[in-house]
Amino acid sequence: MKEHRGFLWVLALLPLLVSLDSGAYAQSTRNPERDLGISFSRETERTEFGAVYGEVENKSANTYPCVRVQFNIYEPFVRENVWGRHLGVVSVEVRNVLPRSTRKYHQPFTSKAPVIVLKSVSECPGASGPTVTPPASGVCKISVVINNDSSTYQTTVWLQRADGSPTLNVPRRLGLGRFSYINVPEGGYKVVVKGKYPPGEGRSGGLAPSPDSQPVQCRPNGSHRAIFKIDSTEG
């Protein structure tokens, strides 16, 4: 009798065990607000009105063919924690956000955007089914060191392709005269340094980066360095 009762308990538990086993590896329904983390910053140097840039981090096992991130734009704060007049909405579309991955974005503004606030994150209209692009064949890290720099110079760096065309890579500022580019696709680039340096007057020379640019050949898994110095322009 005890054996018979034990057999009945096993039969009763089988559907539950099968359900737990099949669900353990199932992909959950896509939910951008739950699955995605959004970071953003405001850039003021490279374009006329600046830009918003940052990363979309997919913390889930879901693939997102297209993610739409929207920002509210406001006039400067009226007082602490009180925004000025609402100026509109800026949308950024980030494609092929793969599971457990991070995608960068960079969107220039077309008009003044004094204050930006994250509004929403969602899938792009009409996005359905995963579309996957093959990963880059290799990426590298480029460190930029600028000796004799000063905060008054407002030094910035740009990463351009070897032909001089711009890239969307945004540097991380690590400290005074220290910048870093990560996940740069392999290929030929040049690092350009610019800032507001004192001009020369009379017989005394001014200051400028030396050199004003440096070539870098990015190799897979490489760690490269470009070193500059703020030096006198006097011959």
Side-chain angles (χ1 to χ4, degrees):
M1 186 68 178
K2 290 182 179 179
E3 290 182 2
H4 181 65
R5 264 187 253 169
F7 180 69
L8 290 177
W9 272 107
V10 171
L11 288 178
L13 288 171
L14 272 176
L16 178 60
L17 291 172
V18 171
S19 173
L20 289 173
D21 182 67
S22 62
Y25 301 97
Q27 190 176 31
S28 60
T29 304
R30 290 201 301 256
N31 182 333
E33 292 186 349
R34 177 198 64 205
D35 296 345
L36 306 177
I38 309 298
S39 66
F40 66 95
S41 298
R42 186 170 180 271
E43 178 188 273
T44 58
E45 296 291 334
R46 299 192 184 190
T47 61
E48 181 180 0
F49 300 111
V52 60
Y53 69 94
E55 296 180 343
V56 177
E57 179 187 5
N58 186 357
K59 298 172 284 187
S60 75
N62 295 315
T63 295
Y64 285 86
C66 182
V67 173
R68 173 174 288 181
V69 184
Q70 292 190 311
F71 299 92
N72 281 318
I73 308 300
Y74 296 91
E75 287 184 341
F77 289 107
V78 176
R79 58 181 182 276
E80 187 176 1
N81 296 325
V82 178
W83 298 314
R85 184 169 60 93
H86 185 243
L87 299 176
V89 176
V90 170
S91 296
V92 182
E93 291 190 354
V94 185
R95 300 188 180 277
N96 296 325
V97 183
L98 303 181
R100 316 290 182 194
S101 70
T102 300
R103 296 280 286 179
K104 296 180 182 294
Y105 64 86
H106 182 275
Q107 179 66 46
F109 296 126
T110 56
S111 59
K112 290 183 178 180
V115 179
I116 58 174
V117 179
L118 181 64
K119 179 178 184 289
S120 64
V121 54
S122 62
E123 293 193 73
C124 302
S128 62
T131 58
V132 179
T133 54
S137 55
V139 295
C140 78
K141 174 184 177 180
I142 300 175
S143 300
V144 183
V145 177
I146 305 167
N147 294 316
N148 297 343
D149 196 17
S150 168
S151 58
T152 60
Y153 300 157
Q154 300 180 35
T155 298
T156 56
V157 297
W158 279 264
L159 186 65
Q160 300 178 351
R161 295 183 178 86
D163 62 4
S165 60
T167 70
L168 295 182
N169 297 84
V170 178
R172 295 184 179 183
R173 186 184 293 271
L174 305 178
L176 184 62
R178 302 292 187 272
F179 300 85
S180 177
Y181 290 95
I182 62 173
N183 295 327
V184 179
E186 64 177 308
Y189 299 89
K190 65 177 178 178
V191 179
V192 180
V193 176
K194 294 184 180 180
K196 297 180 180 179
Y197 306 110
E201 296 182 3
R203 294 184 177 180
S204 58
L207 295 177
S210 177
D212 59 358
S213 67
Q214 279 198 44
V216 176
Q217 186 64 37
C218 178
R219 295 182 174 83
N221 301 316
S223 181
H224 312 290
R225 176 175 289 193
I227 300 178
F228 298 82
K229 180 181 180 181
I230 307 303
D231 206 356
S232 172
T233 57
E234 191 174 6

